[in-house]
């Protein structure tokens, strides 16, 4: 069975001897190749080449492009700078026009990376991509104060902007699927700050993006960093195919909330960075025990830290290959 088929079977609830392993490898691939991650964030061809190398080295069941929460905001006029390995917003911007155009910013480079990954690995590995969700994109454009005002029901600029951002993200997600992505993960870390009541207001915006992905025959993933235990009961209202939860969320409780829907996660990224192989294998197998072998994809709770020791990442994958 091809690795891509294992991921698809896990998403759809098919029978597998063991869950697929799909660690979210991003800037780690540059570190692995002794390259500056900042180069790859600006060059889709280099990003894809590094991801192909990492996939050949680790033999996961799928590969995503790099995770970059600033990408869409930059395309709409926010200004970025690199802090260490990653880009960060240093100047917010309220856009007058919110129209998707792959020629703006670095968006076209990320589409290019997906296209190359599809050409090089598609059919054999599951090809994934990311988009920044509407709420988190609003945070990158407007800053935390404006978004927090909206979350607590005080109105503000964010309320009028969010539907436009959802349309922008939906169009971008569609372009990624057209380029060859089998799945698109919607990154919404800011939702961890939301109350259940506020999250219910965000769900229709996320569902618009999910529909843009699923209507093209690909799988929408939801990822919210941090402790989302207080939101788990609402997760079934999100029309995703896969729900990735961070390490502080109980997979057992997530399974109870989501039933026969695919979970992904949730080995602690700090354990990957500083732990030993034995502890990582133990943590991974604990995840399988809590989530079950059906409707489950083994991964870390979030993106693999760039300077993760290679043997630790190999141990994560080996944990389900040897059960």
């Amino acid at each position: 069975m091809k690795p891509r088929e294992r991921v698809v079977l896990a998403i759809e609830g098919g029978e597998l001897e063991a869950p697929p392993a799909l660690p979210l490898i991003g800037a780690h691939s540059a570190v692995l190749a002794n390259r500056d991650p900042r180069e790859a964030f600006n060059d889709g061809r280099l990003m894809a080449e590094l991801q192909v190398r990492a996939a050949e080295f680790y033999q996961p069941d799928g590969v995503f492009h790099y995770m970059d929460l600033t990408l869409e905001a930059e395309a709409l006029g926010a200004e970025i700078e690199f802090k260490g390995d990653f880009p960060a917003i240093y100047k917010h911007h309220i856009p007058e026009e919110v129209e998707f155009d792959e020629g703006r910013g670095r968006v076209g480079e990320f589409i290019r990376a997906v296209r190359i990954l599809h050409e090089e690995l598609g059919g054999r590995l599951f090809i994934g991509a990311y988009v920044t969700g509407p709420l988190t994109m609003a945070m990158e454009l407007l800053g935390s104060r404006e978004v927090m005002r909206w979350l607590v029901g005080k109105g503000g600029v964010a309320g009028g902007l969010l539907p436009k951002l959802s349309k922008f993200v939906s169009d971008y997600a569609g372009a990624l699927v057209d380029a060859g992505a089998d799945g698109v993960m919607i990154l919404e870390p800011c939702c961890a700050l939301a109350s259940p009541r506020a999250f219910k207001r965000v769900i229709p915006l996320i569902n618009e993006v999910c529909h843009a992905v699923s209507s093209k025959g690909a799988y929408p993933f939801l990822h919210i960093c941090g402790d989302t235990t207080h939101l788990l009961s609402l997760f079934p209202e999100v029309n995703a195919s896969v729900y990735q939860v961070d390490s502080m969320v109980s997979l057992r409780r997530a399974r109870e909330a989501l039933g026969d829907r695919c979970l992904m996660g949730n080995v602690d990224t700090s354990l990957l960075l500083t732990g030993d192989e034995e502890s990582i294998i133990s943590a991974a197998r604990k995840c399988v025990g809590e989530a079950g072998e059906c409707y489950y994809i083994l991964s870390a709770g979030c993106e693999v830290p760039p300077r993760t020791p290679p043997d630790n990442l190999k141990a994560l994958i080996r944990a389900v290959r040897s059960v």
Side-chain angles (χ1 to χ4, degrees), residues 264-306:
M264 181 173 175
N266 67 343
V267 175
D268 194 337
T269 53
S270 63
L271 180 65
L272 277 180
L273 186 62
T274 63
D276 56 51
E277 296 175 48
E278 184 178 346
S279 62
I280 290 164
I281 290 172
S282 175
R285 291 180 176 171
K286 180 175 182 289
C287 287
V288 176
E290 292 190 355
E293 293 186 3
C294 189
Y295 288 110
Y296 176 63
I297 299 169
L298 176 67
S299 188
C302 194
E303 187 178 49
V304 172

Side-chain angles (χ1 to χ4, degrees), residues 3 11 22 31 53-54 115 160 165 176 178 218 227 275 292-293 320:
I11 294 172
L22 189 53
V31 175
R53 283 197 218 173
R115 188 173 294 114
L165 298 183
L176 290 165
D178 290 341
D227 190 352
E293 293 186 3
V320 288

Side-chain angles (χ1 to χ4, degrees), residues 13 16 20 26 40 45 73-74 93 117 146 167 183 193 209 216 225 229 243 254 262 282 287 295 298:
L16 289 165
R45 179 169 294 281
E74 182 195 22
H93 177 73
L117 288 172
E146 279 296 328
K167 175 63 165 57
L193 304 173
V209 186
K216 286 180 172 284
C225 301
T229 303
Y243 303 78
C262 189
S282 175
C287 287
Y295 288 110
L298 176 67

Side-chain angles (χ1 to χ4, degrees), residues 50 115 246 267 292 314:
L50 294 173
R115 188 173 294 114
D246 211 340
V267 175
K314 285 183 177 181

Side-chain angles (χ1 to χ4, degrees), residues 134-180:
L135 187 69
T136 300
M137 190 175 168
M139 183 85 80
E140 298 286 356
L141 284 165
L142 306 176
S144 58
R145 180 176 298 179
E146 279 296 328
V147 172
M148 290 306 297
R149 279 172 53 83
W150 184 84
L151 284 174
V152 298
K154 293 185 178 180
V157 178
L161 185 60
L162 279 165
K164 299 177 183 178
L165 298 183
S166 185
K167 175 63 165 57
F168 180 100
V169 176
S170 297
D171 290 345
Y172 177 36
L176 290 165
V177 176
D178 290 341

